[in-house]
Amino acid sequence: MRRSADYLGLSRNRSRTDTAQVDDTIDRRGDYGKAVARLHDDEREVGPLNAAENKRLLRIKLFGATGSVLLLIGSLGTGAVPVLQNPVAGMRVLSLPSRMWSTALTLSIGGTIMLVVAWLLIGRFAVGRFSVEVRRGRSPERRMTRQQADRTLMLWIAPIIVAPPLLSKDIYSYLAQSAIAYRGMDPYVVSPVRGLGVDHVLTRSVPNLWRDTPAPYGPLFLWIGKGITAVTGDNITAAIFLHRLVALVGIGLIVWALPRLARRCGVSSVAALWLGAMNPLLILHLVGGIHNEALMLGMMLVGLELSFRAIYGADRLRRPSSWWPSTAGWTLIAGAAVISASAMVKVTSLLALGFVGIALAQRWGAILPALRNAPVAQWWERSRRSIAALGCSAAFYASILAVVMVGISVGTGLGFGWTGTGSTGAVVRSWMSMPTLLSVTTGRLGLALGLGDQTQAILEVGRPLGELVAAVFIVRWMLACLGGRLHPLGALGVSMATVVVFFPFVQAWYLLWAVIPLAAWATRPWFRLTTIAVSAIIAIVVMPTSSNTSGVVLAQGLLAGVIMVAVMTALFFEDLPVHRWWRGRRGHEPVHEDADAG
């Protein structure tokens, strides 16, 4: 109890020698976020790559692009193609992968590994060598330019744009729910089976798990889908392409906002782009899988950048002698509105409003009062200005959220049914969710001990307990942000990571909720090394397999894919005789690369 009181700054027991120092330490901030604050350190900007490094960078770009092309070819057999209206079915060449499933699986696995390896190799030119600069927390001597990073991302994404949906069939749920809304029914009440019929062309491609469940997505996203349905009708191929364009708009917003947020936090914009936007999880799942997280995260980051631009700028938020907003004030309102709108795609981004609200309250004078060296009786006197600032900030953002929420819910005609369907995904028992994993493991253990199958009962206790733990931690990060120890962007990223860890159901692309914001703030070695390792492993582990894929076929595909990657690596990066012959044919002298260029 004594330690807890000291930690919270509520202890009043002081020795006489401490009393003399009261005046100097009375406003000292608490210990909230000390360990998390060590995730961040400023990075210095460095010069562009030299000629030898640019040459190696080009090889890596082409290596990754080759992986994307192989993934495209393999996806014609292993992709989440529709049950009906498969556009390549019956074509002489394009339908070959679907008739040679083992070969398609090998190409998909090999292409994914090549893309991941290319991402790891190109990290040398973004964050430095993993064993030197990253591990020691130093900036590299040179980095690729922003233009080189953007062009590399576009080159790697280009083949995926025309590929079938990858690694997920969620897009078919989007199409069915949008069609229900287009027909004038409520997608938050009516499921695909009940609204369209079990034999409808869109329902047939929806996974069995989601055929009889209502939509868990926000009204803004379903309104966009409704517009796509109005254009495409029941044409699945055209609808998938338009939904992928919406995902690409979200990626574009991420690429626009992420470097600006990184510079605001003293982080290299290229390093943030490499870890966040060029992450293979983003390419494979947000672009390939066409998940609405792309739009949600893009809008959220844009709203954060607009909000910080107004809050941390020197301009007044309102005009002199008036309550009417100034230019900076309108920017602040726009930022809040964009974040609120992103929550109408997927409600998770609503958490960002809490941290920009704290940033605004800090501008108005809010601090975290440290009572460690002051009597508790002084709490109100020392805290009333902070409480007033927090209250005004909360009222401002609550008003903007209410206007946007009501406007979108009523304006789209979809109503407020989305508020009751957010837990629809709880039917999934994901091994990536810690409460779910522990609950299922405990249930299996009880079953082995002869206690019966109590898994569902344990889940009903474990999942809410995990959510409660996450809420406690999020409050902690908010206090650290209010105390000035954590930047609001960093605190948001850590909170998103907390949500992912304790969320009742987690998918591979949910990791991007935390990785992308933290890429613009966290720079320390253990964060970057852990994020790099987790992103690479999850990108490879989540394979395009089906429920009837045998272990032998999977092992064969994996082994053949690894061999293919080894051969391609030798062709691209080893100085083989064919390379020397080609340079001789073109009259080129051999280029001797610097020792530190690799």
Side-chain angles (χ1 to χ4, degrees):
M1 294 294 291
R2 175 67 178 275
R3 286 184 178 182
S4 300
D6 288 341
Y7 182 80
L8 296 172
L10 299 177
S11 177
R12 292 188 296 171
N13 295 329
R14 302 187 302 274
S15 64
R16 293 182 178 180
T17 56
D18 292 336
T19 305
Q21 301 175 357
V22 168
D23 294 337
D24 295 332
T25 61
I26 193 169
D27 289 318
R28 185 175 61 191
R29 59 187 175 183
D31 294 333
Y32 298 104
K34 266 188 176 180
V36 176
R38 299 191 186 102
L39 289 175
H40 172 75
D41 195 9
D42 289 346
E43 288 185 320
R44 60 185 179 90
E45 293 294 345
V46 295
L49 305 178
N50 58 34
E53 290 170 331
N54 280 320
K55 192 176 185 69
R56 181 167 287 272
L57 175 65
L58 178 60
R59 287 192 182 187
I60 298 173
K61 288 168 61 176
L62 295 177
F63 184 76
T66 304
S68 293
V69 172
L70 292 175
L71 184 58
L72 164 62
I73 298 172
S75 69
L76 297 176
T78 63
V81 295
V83 174
L84 302 176
Q85 296 188 13
N86 184 351
V88 300
M91 292 188 177
R92 290 182 179 273
V93 177
L94 295 181
S95 63
L96 278 176
S98 63
R99 299 198 298 268
M100 304 168 62
W101 200 85
S102 298
T103 302
L105 180 63
T106 298
L107 292 175
S108 298
I109 293 175
T112 300
I113 295 175
M114 287 181 67
L115 187 62
V116 171
V117 170
W119 177 67
L120 294 174
L121 290 175
I122 213 170
R124 160 69 179 84
F125 307 117
V127 294
R129 292 163 292 184
F130 301 146
S131 60
V132 182
E133 285 88 3
V134 177
R135 185 168 63 85
R136 298 178 182 176
R138 302 188 322 200
S139 297
E141 293 299 323
R142 294 174 295 277
R143 286 192 177 94
M144 59 181 170
T145 63
R146 168 70 190 280
Q147 291 75 16
Q148 288 174 319
D150 290 342
R151 291 170 183 170
T152 301
L153 179 59
M154 288 189 290
L155 181 64
W156 291 355
I157 283 178
I160 309 298
I161 294 176
V162 295
L166 304 179
L167 304 170
S168 173
K169 293 185 177 181
D170 281 4
I171 179 63
Y172 301 114
S173 295
Y174 299 169
L175 300 185
Q177 292 156 3
S178 299
I180 290 171
Y182 178 69
R183 293 186 175 192
M185 295 177 284
D186 187 352
Y188 301 116
V189 176
V190 180
S191 65
V193 167
R194 300 179 185 277
L196 303 178
V198 68
D199 292 326
H200 192 274
V201 62
L202 298 179
T203 307
R204 291 285 298 276
S205 295
V206 177
N208 292 333
L209 187 63
W210 308 116
R211 286 188 179 184
D212 203 20
T213 56
Y217 311 112
L220 177 60
F221 179 71
L222 290 183
W223 177 76
I224 294 173
K226 179 180 175 182
I228 291 174
T229 302
V231 174
T232 62
D234 292 339
N235 189 319
I236 294 179
T237 302
I240 288 175
F241 181 73
L242 291 181
H243 269 279
R244 184 164 270 155
L245 286 183
V246 172
L248 289 175
V249 169
I251 302 300
L253 295 177
I254 292 173
V255 172
W256 180 86
L258 194 59
R260 288 168 171 80
L261 291 169
R263 287 195 295 268
R264 191 175 298 280
C265 296
V267 175
S268 166
S269 58
V270 172
L273 275 175
W274 173 79
L275 190 58
M278 297 176 69
N279 194 300
L281 291 176
L282 181 144
I283 297 174
L284 294 173
H285 292 281
L286 298 195
V287 179
I290 324 179
H291 292 290
N292 55 12
E293 269 81 3
L295 186 60
M296 179 199 79
L297 288 170
M299 295 178 67
M300 183 187 77
L301 292 180
V302 169
L304 286 170
E305 168 59 22
L306 294 176
S307 299
F308 292 153
R309 186 177 298 180
I311 292 171
Y312 296 125
D315 296 336
R316 292 172 56 92
L317 299 179
R318 59 186 179 88
R319 296 178 181 178
S321 304
S322 172
W323 286 100
W324 194 253
S326 63
T327 301
W330 285 116
T331 302
L332 180 69
I333 293 173
V338 173
I339 295 175
S340 300
S342 73
M344 298 296 99
V345 174
K346 209 162 189 177
V347 74
T348 315
S349 63
L350 196 63
L351 190 61
L353 285 180
F355 291 96
V356 294
I358 289 175
L360 180 61
Q362 287 175 318
R363 172 170 175 142
W364 289 338
I367 60 171
L368 180 65
L371 302 179
R372 190 181 307 276
N373 296 298
V376 176
Q378 295 182 10
W379 184 86
W380 174 248
E381 184 66 27
R382 292 161 47 77
S383 304
R384 59 181 180 180
R385 182 180 178 184
S386 297
I387 292 175
L390 288 168
C392 292
S393 177
F396 169 77
Y397 280 105
S399 301
I400 299 295
L401 176 62
V403 170
V404 172
M405 185 184 301
V406 172
I408 291 177
S409 298
V410 175
T412 59
L414 295 173
F416 298 90
W418 58 272
T419 58
T421 60
S423 60
T424 300
V427 297
V428 178
R429 295 183 180 182
S430 171
W431 61 269
M432 296 181 65
S433 167
M434 189 175 69
T436 300
L437 178 62
L438 293 177
S439 298
V440 172
T441 302
T442 304
R444 296 287 176 85
L445 182 61
L447 191 61
L449 295 175
L451 301 178
D453 188 2
Q454 306 296 328
T455 303
Q456 186 58 40
I458 298 173
L459 282 170
E460 292 176 359
V461 175
R463 282 175 166 176
L465 185 61
E467 293 173 352
L468 178 61
V469 172
V472 171
F473 274 107
I474 290 171
V475 171
R476 177 187 175 93
W477 310 140
M478 286 184 170
L479 292 174
C481 181
L482 182 60
R485 198 176 297 280
L486 296 181
H487 188 279
L489 182 64
L492 171 63
V494 174
S495 297
M496 284 290 194
T498 304
V499 170
V500 171
V501 170
F502 292 100
F503 209 58
F505 47 95
V506 178
Q507 303 289 357
W509 57 93
Y510 287 13
L511 298 175
L512 296 171
W513 297 357
V515 169
I516 291 179
L518 285 175
W521 176 77
T523 61
R524 300 308 298 165
W526 80 266
F527 165 74
R528 279 186 171 167
L529 289 172
T530 302
T531 302
I532 292 166
V534 170
S535 298
I537 292 171
I538 295 297
I540 295 174
V541 166
V542 181
M543 296 183 182
T545 56
S546 59
S547 58
N548 58 354
T549 303
S550 66
V552 174
V553 173
L554 179 59
Q556 290 175 343
L558 182 59
L559 178 60
V562 170
I563 294 174
M564 183 180 69
V565 172
V567 172
M568 297 298 291
T569 302
L571 290 175
F572 271 87
F573 300 110
E574 292 295 330
D575 192 17
L576 300 174
V578 66
H579 294 151
R580 293 192 293 269
W581 173 81
W582 178 252
R583 287 197 297 266
R585 291 270 297 182
R586 299 183 64 185
H588 289 173
E589 294 294 329
V591 177
H592 301 285
E593 298 184 357
D594 293 344
D596 64 343

